[in-house]
Amino acid sequence: MGGESTTRTAPRSGGKSTSPVGTKAGQRLSGTAVALGIVLFLGGFGWGALVYRPYTVPTTSMTPTIDAGDRVLAQRVDGSEVHRGDVVVFTDKTWVTNAPVVKRVVAVGGDTVSCCTGGKLTVNGKQIDEGYLKGGAVEDKTIPTVKVPKGRLFLLGDERQGSLDSSAHLTDAAQGTVAESAVTARVDAVVWPMKGMLARPTGFETLGALSTPGPLRVIVTLIVVGAVLVLGGGAYGPIAKRLGGRRSRTRTEPVGAR
């Protein structure tokens, strides 16, 4: 009989392999990525919980900056850290009982504020360009000259027509001003719907420094990077297994003539 060449299929193992998937270096990098990702992800959330508080704004008094029903994140700050142009959260029983109020600070202790000169809010004799007002509208409120006492703030809503703000409390003993100590937080961003960080109120720069934004961007970056590392590190095993399985599919070996 003439010789014939045949092939024989290598037997497959009946049990599941318990050997590590992928290279040792890949496994180490994967584990490191997952561990680091968890630290960054949880650390970001923990930092955010310590620094920020969420609020839902119930009225339209801050439109178009913040609409009714918008969810905002406000950085916990002391009232003494507040600057002109900040949107703050505060509580004042003479305004609203047992409920936080969100308004914009237009004057701080020592300032003189009035409205309107040439259709614009005037602080310390300077007309303020308020780009955050709806359609760049000019002021139409009449506010007599008010000297803001030290340690107090004068606040207005961005929707000047319907906002019950300092201008609506001018006959109060404090002439519509609110104590710095009443402030609990400063709004950094509108997170739902996702409008992002509040625009900087540059019109107040001629009167002094503006507030520095809080660490929200850094916190979000930590959370996103952490999530990517966890997902990427966790995906190494399944990907390595899939690639390894393709390479080790049915192999053939020559048997020779017989």
Side-chain angles (χ1 to χ4, degrees):
M1 257 179 105
E4 61 181 76
S5 177
T6 64
T7 58
R8 184 173 62 201
T9 302
R12 295 182 180 179
S13 172
K16 293 183 179 179
S17 173
T18 57
S19 60
V21 178
T23 65
K24 289 184 178 180
Q27 293 164 23
R28 284 196 295 269
L29 286 174
S30 171
T32 301
V34 170
L36 179 59
I38 290 174
V39 170
L40 293 178
F41 188 80
L42 295 180
F45 268 112
W47 187 10
L50 287 173
V51 175
Y52 286 95
R53 293 184 63 184
Y55 293 93
T56 299
V57 178
T59 71
T60 60
S61 69
M62 282 299 295
T63 57
T65 306
I66 306 171
D67 292 319
D70 283 2
R71 191 78 167 169
V72 303
L73 281 181
Q75 182 185 5
R76 302 169 194 258
V77 297
D78 185 85
S80 61
E81 302 174 57
V82 170
H83 292 239
R84 303 175 192 91
D86 288 347
V87 177
V88 299
V89 182
F90 66 94
T91 55
D92 190 315
K93 288 191 230 180
T94 63
W95 288 42
V96 180
T97 303
N98 298 324
V101 181
V102 178
K103 302 292 179 189
R104 188 182 296 274
V105 176
V106 297
V108 298
D111 287 347
T112 299
V113 59
S114 64
C115 189
C116 299
T117 302
K120 290 187 176 182
L121 181 75
T122 302
V123 181
N124 297 341
K126 296 182 179 180
Q127 294 182 20
I128 306 301
D129 183 13
E130 298 181 277
Y132 43 77
L133 297 182
K134 191 171 185 179
V138 296
E139 293 280 4
D140 55 8
K141 282 191 174 185
T142 299
I143 302 175
T145 301
V146 175
K147 178 76 172 179
V148 183
K150 291 292 184 182
R152 299 189 73 83
L153 307 167
F154 196 89
L155 308 104
L156 297 175
D158 287 359
E159 206 300 288
R160 298 292 160 85
Q161 284 289 331
S163 176
L164 296 176
D165 47 34
S166 288
S167 66
H169 293 269
L170 293 173
T171 58
D172 294 353
Q175 287 188 282
T177 63
V178 172
E180 289 180 349
S181 58
V183 174
T184 57
R186 178 175 54 222
V187 177
D188 249 7
V190 179
V191 294
W192 187 259
M194 294 189 68
K195 297 180 181 178
M197 302 289 288
L198 297 191
R200 289 175 64 73
T202 54
F204 290 93
E205 284 182 315
T206 57
L207 299 174
L210 303 179
S211 290
T212 301
L216 184 58
R217 284 194 175 97
V218 177
I219 290 171
V220 171
T221 299
L222 289 178
I223 293 172
V224 171
V225 171
V228 170
L229 288 174
V230 169
L231 293 174
Y236 173 77
I239 291 173
K241 183 176 181 181
R242 186 180 183 86
L243 293 176
R246 286 179 180 176
R247 288 194 295 267
S248 62
R249 281 180 181 172
T250 305
R251 295 173 297 173
T252 58
E253 55 183 23
V255 177
R258 57 180 180 179

